[in-house]
Amino acid sequence: MIETELRRCVAAFHPGATGVTGAAKLSGGASQETWTFDIVHPNGNVGAILRRAPPGYGAAPGRAAGLDAEATLMQLAHDAGLPSPKVMHVLTPEDGLGRGFIMARVEGETIARKILRDEEFAGARPILARQLGRVIAGIHGLPQAKLPQLRSLTATREIEDLGREYHSFNWPRPVFELALRWLRDHDPGPSSEVTLVHGDFRHGNLIIGPDGVRAVLDWELAHFGDPMEDLGWICVNSWRFGEIDKPVGGFGTREDLFAGYEEAGRKADPDRVKFWEVMGTLRWGVMCCGMMQRFRLGPDHSMERAMIGRRASETEIDLLRLLAPRGR
Amino acid sequence: MQDEPTPTELIKAVADFLRNEIAPAIKGHNGFKLRVGINALDLVTRQLALAETGDATEAARLKALLGADGSLMELNRALSEKIASGEVDLKTPGLSEHLWQTTMDKLAVDQPNYASYKRELGAK
């Protein structure tokens, strides 16, 4: 039982804690798990989240920043007053829980369809885009000297990576080729300013309450690069969940997003944002194809993964709407 | 010749049973998985109904665009290479129309409720 290890671990970093209760796995791939649990304390229980690679799993693969870097980034964001959970403890080998960290649990909603449709969030929707613009600006402005080691990416490099991954599937998709060609032809070159980029700033990784955004999660894809990447990614149509006329997450306008970003003293570049929106749309399409590959090759032979493969065509129509809009 | 009922009729009967009798009784994560499974069966029936015509018209357009013959896979590979090299682009007569029609035909099978698809269908 994971509660045994958690109890020992919590006793060491949370003074007065008498145990843990209600441990439940929220999500888990082969190499990364998220657990929720309560720290039992005489002054009242404290909600906590464990994010870990179980014992036996080494450093994070490929694009991932690594759990230690994620913990550092979350703590820096928290310290800067951004909506980010407090990091309570970074796991050590003595904890026997693998690699990872424990953070405070933030109550709220991450499911896009609820955020976009439920009455509870009616007051949050009109203010979210501007709020998120300010939050993204805050992330891009985190003190460079304190940031952990992360990969550096340019637009050129990301186009190459995406093209290589798509070609590895060996399944011709003329619309993806058109998008790759467009990206190469419109590569804006190195950004004049390179900052921390969250890398996955979208529904699912944002905890939203009736009052607006409460926490930014999942820094797994954080890297150094063009700050406009984060603004483009959150505009990708795949994150609008049907509300296609509200480009920011299905709840707001680019103008509000940019206004929030600029209120925090930074400058948005709409052309670069559009470039990254095209890149992001293609990236989600390639990711859908990748899930289909993992389904076919076996590690995750689930219907869900198989069906996500049939969502790549959604990104094809969105790419055509961006690159070859039909006259009307 | 195989006997009746057709694959489409069989899959539809199973999907309708799962949708109407089983789904209401299943909650939680398995309920979610069941809905994904029903969606998969519905997709297969759409593909069985639409793919033959879609593939034939796609192949005809590709042959006209490329001035070449081949399987659908070979033709799509050839078009992809020409787009990558820049030999064919959106200024090439027929390319945009071909990509749009092919994509619309895919969405009709994959995700006919996708908002962008419904918008484009209405705008045609």
Side-chain angles (χ1 to χ4, degrees):
Chain A
M1 262 313 271
I2 195 167
E3 285 191 0
T4 311
E5 284 87 25
L6 278 175
R7 190 172 300 120
R8 209 172 49 221
C9 170
V10 162
F13 74 81
H14 198 82
T18 57
V20 300
T21 182
K25 200 199 278 191
L26 293 177
S27 68
S31 61
Q32 195 135 311
E33 296 175 348
T34 305
W35 291 77
T36 181
F37 64 99
D38 282 335
I39 299 172
V40 182
H41 195 280
N43 298 342
N45 291 2
V46 180
I49 296 282
L50 164 70
R51 188 162 159 80
R52 69 158 186 173
Y57 284 92
R63 296 177 70 88
L67 286 163
D68 292 349
E70 282 189 55
T72 305
L73 291 167
M74 275 191 156
Q75 189 57 47
L76 284 173
H78 179 83
D79 293 347
L82 296 170
S84 182
K86 182 176 172 49
V87 176
M88 304 168 92
H89 176 67
V90 176
L91 297 181
T92 62
E94 296 76 55
D95 294 322
L97 283 160
R99 297 162 62 95
F101 55 95
I102 293 168
M103 59 183 149
R105 189 171 68 229
V106 176
E107 302 301 331
E109 188 56 75
T110 58
I111 298 171
R113 288 184 192 282
K114 293 189 178 172
I115 294 161
L116 295 183
R117 287 165 184 62
D118 286 4
E119 185 54 35
E120 196 188 341
F121 304 102
R125 287 190 286 268
I127 61 167
L128 263 180
R130 204 179 186 107
Q131 225 180 33
L132 292 180
R134 285 195 296 269
V135 172
I136 296 173
I139 289 171
H140 295 167
L142 285 178
Q144 297 261 355
K146 292 186 177 172
L147 296 174
Q149 205 173 9
L150 296 166
R151 301 178 329 132
S152 286
L153 289 171
T154 60
T156 311
R157 171 75 193 280
E158 295 211 38
I159 298 166
E160 280 170 21
D161 286 355
L162 215 47
R164 192 177 314 112
E165 194 176 354
Y166 151 67
H167 284 118
S168 77
F169 303 144
N170 195 29
W171 186 270
R173 289 178 169 272
V175 175
F176 281 12
E177 294 287 357
L178 187 79
L180 278 169
R181 180 76 203 194
W182 186 92
L183 288 169
R184 285 194 193 99
D185 291 345
H186 294 78
D187 183 344
S191 174
S192 59
E193 193 192 15
V194 171
T195 69
L196 172 67
V197 175
H198 179 278
D200 204 7
F201 197 93
R202 61 165 172 92
H203 278 301
N205 294 334
L206 300 168
I207 296 181
I208 308 293
D211 47 337
V213 61
R214 290 180 177 173
V216 179
L217 304 175
D218 203 343
W219 295 75
E220 193 175 352
L221 297 176
H223 59 270
F224 294 112
D226 182 349
M228 295 304 106
E229 179 175 348
D230 279 332
L231 296 176
W233 183 235
I234 198 174
C235 291
V236 167
N237 189 56
S238 308
W239 320 135
R240 297 180 204 168
F241 295 86
E243 301 290 331
I244 59 176
D245 296 317
K246 295 184 183 132
V248 181
F251 47 71
T253 64
R254 289 186 186 85
E255 289 72 20
D256 279 351
L257 179 75
F258 297 165
Y261 192 74
E262 298 193 348
E263 269 166 30
R266 304 193 62 87
K267 186 89 191 73
D269 179 339
D271 288 336
R272 287 186 97 98
V273 173
K274 159 96 189 257
F275 170 85
W276 286 107
E277 182 180 339
V278 174
M279 176 94 88
T281 307
L282 177 63
R283 170 173 300 136
W284 175 239
V286 170
M287 286 167 76
C288 289
C289 299
M291 299 216 202
M292 146 67 209
Q293 294 290 316
R294 283 205 285 284
F295 159 76
R296 180 167 284 168
L297 298 176
D300 181 357
H301 194 78
S302 69
M303 292 183 292
E304 297 97 300
R305 280 209 192 274
M307 281 296 278
I308 287 176
R310 285 301 189 100
R311 301 191 65 172
S313 53
E314 295 178 354
T315 66
E316 292 181 331
I317 194 169
D318 289 332
L319 287 167
L320 288 179
R321 280 167 63 83
L322 285 164
L323 305 181
R326 300 196 287 189
R328 35 189 94 103
Chain B
M1 187 165 82
Q2 300 295 329
D3 281 337
E4 297 179 310
T6 64
T8 300
E9 287 171 317
L10 284 168
I11 295 166
K12 269 187 116 136
V14 175
D16 286 342
F17 167 68
L18 293 175
R19 186 174 8 247
N20 299 328
E21 308 297 326
I22 303 298
I26 309 252
K27 300 272 170 281
H29 191 62
N30 275 336
F32 164 75
K33 291 190 75 146
L34 181 60
R35 284 197 301 280
V36 175
I38 294 168
N39 288 341
L41 295 176
D42 290 345
L43 186 155
V44 172
T45 58
R46 289 192 298 271
Q47 181 154 341
L48 288 169
L50 299 172
E52 201 176 328
T53 314
D55 285 356
T57 51
E58 182 184 353
R61 286 193 306 271
L62 282 165
K63 286 173 192 169
L65 256 174
L66 298 165
D69 209 348
S71 70
L72 209 44
M73 181 67 85
E74 288 161 353
L75 292 165
N76 269 311
R77 224 178 268 289
L79 179 61
S80 296
E81 281 161 16
K82 284 186 194 295
I83 291 171
S85 72
E87 193 183 325
V88 165
D89 63 19
L90 287 170
K91 292 190 286 292
T92 306
L95 180 72
S96 175
E97 291 77 5
H98 166 72
L99 295 178
W100 266 107
Q101 190 57 54
T102 308
T103 302
M104 293 298 280
D105 288 348
K106 285 169 79 166
L107 267 296
V109 170
D110 287 347
Q111 307 291 344
N113 285 319
Y114 192 58
S116 306
Y117 171 72
K118 290 204 278 195
R119 176 71 54 85
E120 292 295 335
L121 208 57
K124 208 168 70 173

